[in-house]
Amino acid sequence: MKPKDEKKLASITRATYALVQESGLAPLTLADIARGAGIATSTLYIYYPSKQALLDALYEQAKSATFERLTRGAGAELPPKLRIRRIWLNMLNNRLDHPAEMVFQEQYVSSHFMSESNRELGKRFVREFDEVLEAGQRDETLKPVALPFLGACILGSVRETARLIAAGALPDDESTRTTGFQLCWDALKA
């Protein structure tokens, strides 16, 4: 069996992300993706036998890459505030650097396309992030509230800060990042 062409796979991924960002996940067709990737639809079927298979594979790939980017430099040896700051900054950079990938992930998670195996993958990554928050609660650094509140506070803060930077309402500089994180931290700390 001939190995799959990495350039074609990358083109398929880019085309899928761009089309989802532009029009959403529901109207997406394999023919549209093939056209966007510059390949024949029959070639796309060699790589992915169905829309579901393509979406599942791209989500697994994107989620794994995102998780690796979010946890970079945020090891357990850091005190809670520094660890959460590193994750917050990584989340912000990820949103700014990979906007189409983030839109794809968010739409996939909210769709009927999400597979059970990818649902479990997402839960596993959330559990790992929850462990960071639980450690902060155990040492009384973070508020003793339900973890989804803390997670939503972090995610909402990152999402809005990234949106404001991307829209040009805030500059993408150290002052914006410091202020954005500090406001989030003030909401989280015990």
Side-chain angles (χ1 to χ4, degrees):
M1 182 178 202
K2 183 178 169 184
K4 293 182 177 176
D5 183 329
E6 292 298 321
K7 288 181 183 177
K8 286 182 183 170
L9 284 168
S11 292
I12 292 165
T13 299
R14 280 192 306 275
T16 303
Y17 292 166
L19 288 165
V20 170
Q21 188 174 30
E22 179 184 308
S23 304
L25 194 61
L28 189 66
T29 67
L30 291 179
D32 293 336
I33 294 167
R35 198 169 20 265
I39 61 174
T41 303
S42 58
T43 301
L44 180 57
Y45 277 104
I46 293 170
Y47 290 84
Y48 301 102
S50 66
K51 179 178 175 178
Q52 184 68 52
L54 180 141
L55 297 177
D56 290 346
L58 292 187
Y59 178 79
E60 182 179 342
Q61 172 189 320
K63 189 69 173 177
S64 297
T66 295
F67 186 76
E68 190 279 320
R69 290 188 293 257
L70 298 186
T71 57
R72 192 174 295 142
E77 72 281 356
L78 294 176
K81 181 177 182 179
L82 292 180
R83 191 172 187 197
I84 292 169
R85 184 177 196 276
R86 171 54 35 211
I87 292 169
W88 191 94
L89 290 169
N90 288 346
M91 289 173 84
L92 181 64
N93 289 332
N94 189 58
R95 282 200 165 270
L96 293 170
D97 295 344
H98 306 280
E101 181 181 286
M102 294 306 301
V103 168
F104 168 78
Q105 288 183 65
E106 289 169 352
Q107 288 203 14
Y108 177 85
V109 167
S110 300
S111 76
H112 69 278
F113 293 108
M114 187 158 187
S115 68
E116 193 54 42
S117 64
N118 278 334
R119 196 173 309 285
E120 286 304 314
L121 177 69
K123 286 179 185 177
R124 184 173 59 103
F125 290 152
V126 167
R127 278 192 299 272
E128 291 185 38
F129 185 60
D130 282 350
E131 289 173 11
V132 173
L133 300 176
E134 287 171 339
Q137 286 180 327
R138 277 193 303 277
D139 74 6
E140 299 180 354
T141 302
L142 299 179
K143 287 182 171 64
V145 299
L147 295 179
F149 282 128
L150 297 177
C153 186
I154 294 168
L155 184 57
S157 171
V158 167
R159 196 178 273 151
E160 281 304 300
T161 302
R163 186 187 65 74
L164 291 166
I165 290 171
L170 291 173
D172 187 5
D173 61 15
E174 190 58 37
S175 176
T176 294
R177 290 164 182 262
T178 299
T179 301
F181 174 73
Q182 191 59 50
L183 290 170
C184 178
W185 181 253
D186 289 346
L188 300 173
K189 69 181 178 182

